[in-house]
Amino acid sequence: MIYLHLFFEFFKIGIFSFGGGYATIPFLYSLSERYGWFSSADIVNMLAISQSTPGPIGINMATFAGFKTAGFLGSTVATFGIILPSVFVICVFARFLNKFQDKPSVKITLWGLRPAACAMIAYAMIKVFEVSIFSLDKFHLSGRLLDLFNFHAILLLIILVILNKKYRLNYAFQLIIAGGLGVLLM
Amino acid sequence: MKNRLRDTVELFGVFFIIGLLNFGGGYSVLPFFKQEAVEKRKWIKNEELLDYFVISQCLPGVIAVNAATLVGYRVQRSLGAVFSTLGIILPAFISILLVAILFMNFMHLKIVHDILLGINVAVLLMIFEAVLNFAKKGIVDKASFTIFALAFIACFFVSPAIIIFSAGLFGFAVKKIRGEVQ
């Protein structure tokens, strides 16, 4: 039964992948080695596609791998497999959290965690910075300092900042404008 | 009963849209949560949102989905949790199927690349706002700034789980030394 098999493998990934989408990648490599459901080249393609389609990478990977292996039903089964453990864990955990949120020890722990979370968001920002404002590939090829920056992207950033200051745009609207400007400017 | 149904539908709708707008996952989804769940609908407070993301990171699974499940649980218990989760994964599910079935060949076109680059720049701006916003809530004194700085450097070298764990311990130790813990 390929569907049951898919479900259990992604269920396992759902249980053991802490820390988001990228944590699933090593698991996918091991799946590809053990079952040959998809190749390692497929995994790289999946990553590229995941980054340019809506949704968290972990879910994207499960859907794509499931589809590749066993069609529509396969993708459904794999996606449910990967989210089910966390939904269950969170429903149990949330009850506990809501009850103890105001306990001093929980408050103190969260006090220490908040700045760490800020740091992680800042780190995520640096990552997005790397792929948008810098053009590292081009720089590595030519070695010229001018090629390090993507000036079109910087111009786009400036325009967005100005628009934002003036009109206070809704996020969805900002994304649409940014996509359009991307086509116009690049 | 009617309220419960309305809330559940609203949760599903809000997270469906967040799922649709989110490219890349992880913390990049945070600004959208802030806009919808904190500012517009007042389901949770700003610092609670930050807590939820930290907790999501420590629990198994995908961060953005975990955070949606937590918010959903907060608003309408298990029912809310399930529908928020479905809402945030459905756009991902549909779009990947479409890509897999139809659009594989379009991904290499220049126009697709340009649109995505534009979107990345906008996301950059949003995350920047989120960092500023949360820094105000999370970085309140020298000790918390130290945690921030150390954690930021650590992000480049070690796994997030280790950072979260050490930050929790460190925070606890600081409060203990200051005598704020019994």
Side-chain angles (χ1 to χ4, degrees), chain A residues 14-15 17-20 49 51-60 63-64 67 72 75-76 79-80 83 86-87 89-91 93-95 97-98 101 108-126 128-129 131-133 150 153 156-157 160-161 164 168 170-172 174-175 178-179 182-183 186, chain B residues 19-24 27 30-32 35 47-48 50-52 54-55 57-62 65-66 69-70 73 81 85 89 92-93 95-97 99-101 104 107 110-111 114-118 120-122 124-129 131 134-135 138 141 144 147-148 151-152 155-156 160 163-164 167-168 171-172 175 181:
Chain A
I15 294 177
S17 67
F18 291 82
I49 292 168
Q51 268 159 339
S52 39
T53 46
I57 288 174
I59 306 297
N60 289 169
T63 311
F64 195 89
F67 185 80
F72 178 74
S75 65
T76 314
T79 309
F80 271 101
I83 60 161
S86 47
V87 172
V89 169
I90 286 174
C91 282
F93 181 84
R95 181 169 303 166
L97 179 75
N98 288 349
Q101 212 170 20
I108 284 165
T109 311
L110 288 174
W111 174 86
L113 293 184
R114 279 176 193 158
C118 279
M120 282 179 194
I121 306 166
Y123 178 73
M125 186 179 82
I126 302 285
V128 181
F129 201 80
V131 294
S132 53
I133 301 297
N150 185 340
L156 208 161
L157 181 65
L160 276 181
V161 169
N164 221 353
R168 196 64 231 165
N170 178 290
Y171 283 149
Q174 267 188 53
L175 287 185
V183 176
M186 303 300 162
Chain B
L20 196 64
L21 296 176
N22 168 236
F23 290 76
Y27 279 105
L30 210 147
F32 300 105
Q35 181 181 273
E47 57 266 38
E48 281 176 312
L50 196 54
D51 295 343
Y52 282 9
V54 177
I55 292 162
Q57 179 123 48
C58 304
L59 295 172
V62 179
V65 179
N66 288 353
T69 315
L70 275 170
Y73 188 91
T85 312
I89 64 161
F93 184 73
S95 57
I96 286 292
L97 279 186
V99 167
I101 297 167
M104 276 294 255
M107 296 311 291
K110 188 171 180 308
I111 185 162
D114 290 347
I115 291 175
L116 293 173
L117 192 65
N120 272 338
V121 175
L124 177 66
L125 200 61
M126 292 173 194
I127 303 187
F128 178 67
E129 271 176 43
V131 172
F134 287 121
D141 51 19
S144 50
I147 297 179
F148 170 80
F152 183 72
C155 280
F156 291 88
I163 298 174
I164 295 286
F172 204 82
K175 290 271 182 180
V181 190

Side-chain angles (χ1 to χ4, degrees), chain B residues 11-24:
Chain B
L11 279 167
F12 178 82
V14 164
F15 285 112
F16 184 86
I17 291 175
I18 291 180
L20 196 64
L21 296 176
N22 168 236
F23 290 76

Side-chain angles (χ1 to χ4, degrees), chain A:
Chain A
M1 248 323 249
I2 183 78
Y3 302 116
L4 262 181
H5 208 158
L6 267 173
F7 180 82
F8 275 116
E9 284 301 334
F10 279 97
F11 190 82
K12 265 197 328 212
I13 296 181
I15 294 177
F16 291 113
S17 67
F18 291 82
Y22 290 106
T24 59
I25 295 166
F27 290 99
L28 289 174
Y29 274 108
S30 114
L31 276 189
S32 121
E33 264 170 34
R34 277 182 298 148
Y35 301 111
W37 285 340
F38 38 81
S39 69
S40 50
D42 284 335
I43 297 176
V44 178
N45 284 338
M46 273 184 238
L47 254 182
I49 292 168
S50 293
Q51 268 159 339
S52 39
T53 46
I57 288 174
I59 306 297
N60 289 169
M61 295 289 236
T63 311
F64 195 89
F67 185 80
K68 196 109 214 302
T69 314
F72 178 74
L73 202 58
S75 65
T76 314
V77 166
T79 309
F80 271 101
I82 203 168
I83 60 161
L84 221 55
S86 47
V87 172
F88 182 73
V89 169
I90 286 174
C91 282
V92 174
F93 181 84
R95 181 169 303 166
F96 160 86
L97 179 75
N98 288 349
K99 225 185 261 170
F100 295 103
Q101 212 170 20
D102 295 321
K103 286 252 155 100
S105 57
V106 174
K107 269 193 160 164
I108 284 165
T109 311
L110 288 174
W111 174 86
L113 293 184
R114 279 176 193 158
C118 279
M120 282 179 194
I121 306 166
Y123 178 73
M125 186 179 82
I126 302 285
K127 287 280 151 202
V128 181
F129 201 80
E130 267 174 26
V131 294
S132 53
I133 301 297
F134 286 120
S135 43
L136 287 174
D137 304 347
K138 217 172 149 194
F139 175 68
H140 280 308
L141 277 180
S142 71
R144 280 186 306 166
L145 208 57
L146 268 181
D147 281 342
L148 183 58
F149 299 100
N150 185 340
F151 289 104
H152 301 288
I154 294 173
L155 182 62
L156 208 161
L157 181 65
I158 294 170
I159 295 176
L160 276 181
V161 169
I162 294 172
L163 280 177
N164 221 353
K165 268 251 152 68
K166 256 197 158 145
Y167 302 108
R168 196 64 231 165
L169 300 169
N170 178 290
Y171 283 149
F173 204 57
Q174 267 188 53
L175 287 185
I176 294 169
I177 291 180
L181 282 174
V183 176
L184 285 178
L185 291 175
M186 303 300 162

